[in-house]
Amino acid sequence: MAHMARSALAVVSSHASDPVTAVDEVVRAIGGMALAGGLLFCSHRYDRDELAGELARRLGDFPLIGCTSAGELTQRGYDEDSLVFIGFPADGFAMSVLHFDDLDGFDVAEGRRAVRELAAQAAASARRLGEQLHHAAIFLVDGLSHREELVTMTVQDALGETVMVGGSSGDGMVFRETGVLVDGRFVKDAAVVAMLSSTRPLHAFCSHHYRPREERMVVTSADAQARVVFEINARPAAQEYARIAGLVGGEIDAAFFAANPPMVRAGGEYHIRAVQSANPDGSLTFYCAIDNGIVLRVGERVDRLAHLERLFSEVETRVGEIDHVIGFDCVLNRVDADNRQITREVSQLYAARHVVGFNTYGEQFRAAHNNQTLSGLAIGA
């Protein structure tokens, strides 16, 4: 049974496993509302061709983008085996879309030109809403493309002062193939940018709940293209990482990575460079860019629930009453919540603050590709 939030945004979730039934529940819930555009985030378990076809057939009269996930954020908070739809009412929003295929062959100059053209078109189409408008860009990218950094920097550079926020598509914890929804189909090795304009306040943010410890981890051998680190401090990477993090006799797995994320200092602040997997040869595969000479420190948690309460209070000072927050929450945040047995509390907090979205393989904010953050776009009521 679908559930629709009582707010100006059309927010609908469904747990129907059959794509036809799930899309029908979305369509019935939004009724005849005129929409300027929409987002859809879904479990990787759906048949993508069938779901995309049904979405195009039933919701093909406005721009719709989305992706597969490593978990969904619905009105329940953390969710799974579901889909969530977010629709932007036409009387308060305008949405224009651009997508890039074949990220392996991504051309920076052409990408920059295309984004600037998108921004100009979006500004023209949004004039119907009036003069006092707020703008933001939503970005979705294949979480297994290894091109997130380049495309993110290019898009944000072309956008200028318009802030971009988004997430990398997921595949549960399988790491085999993700899908980005654009033009009525799920595609891999792709990215999509949506320019969103509104009469409502919009505020993009990015935050994490970790602080660095003292001991340094210097990457001394790495394959930057593959995002694999072979040595840290001239020792086998996984072994040295575990030693500095204080692991004694435990397993180097997703729960360990989530609890002890490597952090790097850039621009005067510490950012997380999350580990995806420990490999049989003792190396580590990362979710984001990594290279020789980078200095890392192991992160330690602060009180996540208190941190989230402060974060959303700060967001409210920017937009007033929150209609919804489109959330891009790293899958490792979810793993850590499960491991610490605070999933229920985090879910309740997300539900109370109207956070909807998905668990990512990475988050984008401005020109940076990040890990283990909660990034989002808050929309005022």
Side-chain angles (χ1 to χ4, degrees):
M1 180 69 182
H3 174 71
M4 181 167 175
R6 295 184 176 181
S7 71
L9 264 67
V11 177
V12 188
S13 60
S14 173
H15 293 82
S17 59
D18 170 48
V20 174
T21 303
V23 174
D24 184 64
E25 290 182 354
V26 171
V27 171
R28 286 191 289 109
I30 63 178
M33 181 184 292
L35 298 176
L39 307 174
L40 184 127
F41 308 120
C42 66
S43 167
H44 67 289
R45 293 190 173 93
Y46 280 101
D47 182 301
R48 295 174 195 178
D49 290 340
E50 187 176 2
L51 178 58
E54 195 65 15
L55 289 168
R57 187 175 74 85
R58 302 293 303 276
L59 296 171
D61 54 350
F62 55 82
L64 177 64
I65 65 171
C67 64
T68 58
S69 77
E72 299 76 60
L73 306 177
T74 72
Q75 299 93 326
R76 298 178 178 182
Y78 282 140
D79 215 332
E80 60 185 349
D81 296 335
S82 65
L83 61 77
V84 57
F85 170 86
I86 304 159
F88 301 105
D91 60 0
F93 292 85
M95 180 171 148
S96 300
V97 172
L98 167 71
H99 78 274
F100 299 104
D101 291 322
D102 184 24
L103 296 187
D104 278 342
F106 181 75
D107 182 275
V108 171
E110 175 59 25
R112 190 180 293 117
R113 184 205 62 77
V115 173
R116 287 173 177 162
E117 184 176 302
L118 169 71
Q121 292 172 349
S125 67
R127 289 195 187 110
R128 64 178 175 79
L129 297 173
E131 297 298 322
Q132 301 299 316
L133 298 180
H134 304 270
H135 308 279
I138 296 172
F139 180 71
L140 303 172
V141 60
D142 184 339
L144 298 177
S145 67
H146 289 194
R147 304 293 280 175
E148 299 97 311
E149 285 86 3
L150 177 63
V151 182
T152 299
M153 288 188 291
T154 302
V155 172
Q156 182 61 77
D157 176 63
L159 288 172
E161 294 182 359
T162 300
V163 178
M164 182 180 77
V165 66
S168 303
S169 54
D171 183 25
M173 295 296 284
V174 180
F175 305 110
R176 183 175 59 240
E177 182 177 297
T178 79
V180 175
L181 175 66
V182 64
D183 286 347
R185 59 197 178 103
F186 284 97
V187 292
K188 62 180 181 178
D189 196 32
V192 61
V193 188
M195 291 290 298
L196 193 67
S197 301
S198 181
T199 55
R200 313 260 206 98
L202 304 175
H203 174 65
F205 64 89
C206 178
S207 183
H208 65 75
H209 56 282
Y210 292 86
R211 61 189 174 202
R213 302 177 198 172
E214 287 300 319
E215 190 168 358
R216 304 193 331 160
M217 302 193 301
V218 181
V219 177
T220 48
S221 177
D223 180 340
Q225 186 171 0
R227 296 179 174 174
V228 175
V229 173
F230 299 100
E231 291 184 358
I232 292 173
N233 298 339
R235 298 184 178 95
Q239 175 185 320
E240 181 69 352
Y241 173 35
R243 183 191 69 81
I244 291 176
L247 179 67
V248 178
E251 188 174 352
I252 304 178
D253 57 8
F256 173 77
F257 304 145
N260 304 277
M263 305 184 76
V264 62
R265 186 175 175 85
E269 297 182 355
Y270 277 93
H271 305 272
I272 294 171
R273 292 288 177 264
V275 179
Q276 183 186 104
S277 63
N279 306 314
D281 64 357
S283 65
L284 298 169
T285 299
F286 281 69
Y287 277 104
C288 60
I290 199 76
D291 206 349
N292 291 316
I294 289 180
V295 178
L296 303 169
R297 286 180 167 84
V298 175
E300 61 183 6
R301 295 175 297 227
V302 298
D303 186 325
R304 181 178 178 186
L305 296 174
H307 173 85
L308 287 172
E309 289 286 9
R310 289 193 300 271
L311 171 64
F312 290 123
S313 293
E314 291 169 5
V315 169
E316 281 186 328
T317 66
R318 298 295 191 102
V319 302
E321 181 185 353
I322 295 173
D323 185 318
H324 278 86
V325 175
I326 302 170
F328 309 100
D329 189 27
C330 182
V331 64
L332 290 179
N333 285 338
R334 182 168 186 155
V335 169
D336 190 53
D338 289 343
N339 194 48
R340 296 171 59 198
Q341 299 183 341
I342 59 169
T343 300
R344 180 179 179 182
E345 290 81 358
V346 174
S347 288
Q348 289 174 340
L349 196 156
Y350 280 2
R353 298 293 191 160
H354 309 297
V355 179
V356 290
F358 74 104
N359 291 120
T360 75
Y361 281 178
E363 307 80 57
Q364 294 76 44
F365 179 67
R366 298 186 184 273
H369 171 57
N370 301 300
N371 293 133
Q372 220 156 331
T373 74
L374 170 63
S375 299
L377 179 65
I379 300 173

